[in-house]
Amino acid sequence: MTGSSRPRYAQRSLIVGVLLAFTLIFWSIQLFILMLALDAFLGKEYALLWPAAISSALLATLTLWLVRLIPREPRE
């Protein structure tokens, strides 16, 4: 293990941590949107279902994009 690999590993760990934090936040927002959509469906407010579905799909796309950004390099 050389001295230059330690900062690189720390930087990669920080990036992975930030990406996972944003992923968790987006999943929480998506769960909240799901609860709102179910409440609207049970309350027969069907006008809210399409905007909820579209925003949930956009959040899912953003979350998948963030997960793909996580570096897949093995530790050296």
Side-chain angles (χ1 to χ4, degrees), residues 3-75:
S4 65
S5 68
R6 183 68 181 159
R8 185 173 173 205
Y9 176 72
Q11 184 180 18
R12 189 180 313 149
S13 296
L14 177 67
I15 291 171
V16 169
V18 168
L19 289 174
L20 289 177
F22 274 109
T23 301
L24 181 64
I25 289 168
F26 291 150
W27 278 345
S28 300
I29 293 170
Q30 206 168 5
L31 181 63
F32 180 71
I33 290 172
L34 174 66
M35 289 188 303
L36 287 177
L38 287 174
D39 188 47
F41 179 73
L42 292 174
K44 296 182 174 53
E45 297 177 22
Y46 301 116
L48 295 175
L49 295 180
W50 281 110
I54 291 170
S55 60
S56 180
L58 288 174
L59 272 174
T61 304
L62 180 62
T63 303
L64 288 174
W65 179 71
L66 283 176
V67 168
R68 290 184 57 89
L69 287 178
I70 295 174
R72 303 241 191 282
E73 298 177 19
R75 279 198 258 180

